[in-house]
Amino acid sequence: MVLTEKEIRALQQSEQPLIAPFCEDQLQAASYDITLGERVIAFDKRTRTIDLSGQEPQELYTPSLLGPEGYCLGPNEFVLVELQECLTLPADCVAHIRPRSRFTRLGLLVSGQHFNPTYSGKVPIGVFNASPNTLILKQGIRLAQVVFERLSQTPDEDKLYRNKVNAAYMNEEQFRGAVLKEAGWSDNVRTLYKSVMDSLTRE
C-alpha cells in the first residue's frame, strides 16, 4: 500500500524521522520531492574493462561541487548526483525513486532506486541526458520523487537491511562508489555475524 501524505507526515513524528531534512512544501499526495544536493559525481574519461564479479574499480569517478552556475550535463552523459535528503525507513516500509514528468519530457532520465526496510542513508542517484541539448543541474532542484510503500508484514530480523552482511550502503553520508563485494568483511567476521544473528533468531 502506497503511503499518503498523512502517513508520511505521521512517520516524521516518530523517534527516527523518515526524511531529513523535511520540507512540508515538498510533500505531495502520495510522494515526496527529493532535491539535488551539492555534489555531482561524473565518470572520468578513461575506458576500462570492469569485472562485475571482481574487485571494485578504483579512481573511476570525478566528484565536483556544484557552484552557483550548476553542472552542464551534456547529451548522452550519465552522472551520479547526491541528494540533500537522508532517508531512514522503518522495518515495515520500502521506498522507490521515481522520475518527475517535467524532466522526463526534456529527456532527463532518472535511475530507478529501491530502498529496503530499515535502510538509512543519503544515496546518490543516476541521471542521464537522453536529449540533444545540454541540461543544467543546480543545487536544490526537485529532481525526482520518492514513493513509500507499507509491507503486508514485517520481514524477519535477519533479512532487514540494517542486519545484512552485504549492506554496503547503510548509513552512507559520503559517496562510496560501486561496492561489488560484501562490504569488505572478512570470512571470519561474516561467520561470527551469522552465528550471532542465528542465536538471536532462536531466542
Side-chain angles (χ1 to χ4, degrees):
M1 180 181 67
V2 174
L3 301 190
T4 68
E5 91 284 359
K6 295 177 182 178
E7 294 163 299
I8 294 171
R9 195 181 290 113
L11 284 173
Q12 282 301 116
Q13 308 305 317
S14 61
E15 183 177 343
Q16 186 65 63
L18 188 64
I19 305 161
F22 177 84
C23 177
E24 177 69 27
D25 188 52
Q26 292 168 225
L27 183 60
Q28 308 301 329
S31 66
Y32 185 88
D33 291 341
I34 49 178
T35 54
L36 182 58
E38 65 178 8
R39 196 179 306 271
V40 169
I41 302 98
F43 289 91
D44 66 28
K45 302 305 180 183
R46 290 175 291 174
T47 300
R48 302 170 176 79
T49 298
I50 299 173
D51 181 357
L52 296 182
S53 64
Q55 191 69 27
E56 284 78 29
Q58 300 299 315
E59 300 179 355
L60 185 62
Y61 309 96
T62 304
S64 60
L65 290 174
L66 281 173
E69 69 282 356
Y71 181 87
C72 293
L73 186 68
N76 298 314
E77 183 180 4
F78 175 85
V79 296
L80 296 163
V81 297
E82 290 185 350
L83 300 177
Q84 290 188 352
E85 292 80 14
C86 178
L87 303 179
T88 300
L89 300 181
D92 63 347
C93 281
V94 296
H96 309 278
I97 297 292
R98 297 283 187 261
R100 299 189 69 199
S101 295
R102 65 183 62 186
F103 294 140
T104 301
R105 296 180 190 206
L106 287 172
L108 184 67
L109 307 182
V110 175
S111 63
Q113 186 77 41
H114 173 82
F115 299 92
N116 284 305
T118 70
Y119 167 82
S120 182
K122 189 182 288 187
V123 72
I125 62 174
V127 293
F128 177 71
N129 182 1
S131 82
N133 308 303
T134 296
L135 304 175
I136 299 177
L137 303 176
K138 289 189 176 182
Q139 188 174 351
I141 288 176
R142 298 186 187 186
L143 189 63
Q145 55 191 322
V146 58
V147 174
F148 301 95
E149 290 188 82
R150 184 89 65 186
L151 302 177
S152 59
Q153 55 183 306
T154 303
D156 290 338
E157 189 69 21
D158 65 325
K159 293 296 185 183
L160 295 176
Y161 192 74
R162 67 185 175 207
N163 296 328
K164 291 181 69 64
V165 173
N166 61 347
Y169 302 111
M170 187 66 180
N171 297 320
E172 181 178 12
E173 288 292 333
Q174 299 296 322
F175 176 70
R176 291 181 186 167
V179 178
L180 302 180
K181 293 185 178 294
E182 292 184 343
W185 288 16
S186 68
D187 291 339
N188 289 340
V189 170
R190 285 194 198 93
T191 301
L192 177 61
Y193 177 86
K194 187 176 186 307
S195 174
V196 170
M197 291 305 301
D198 287 346
S199 67
L200 291 174
T201 302
R202 289 193 297 268
E203 290 179 359

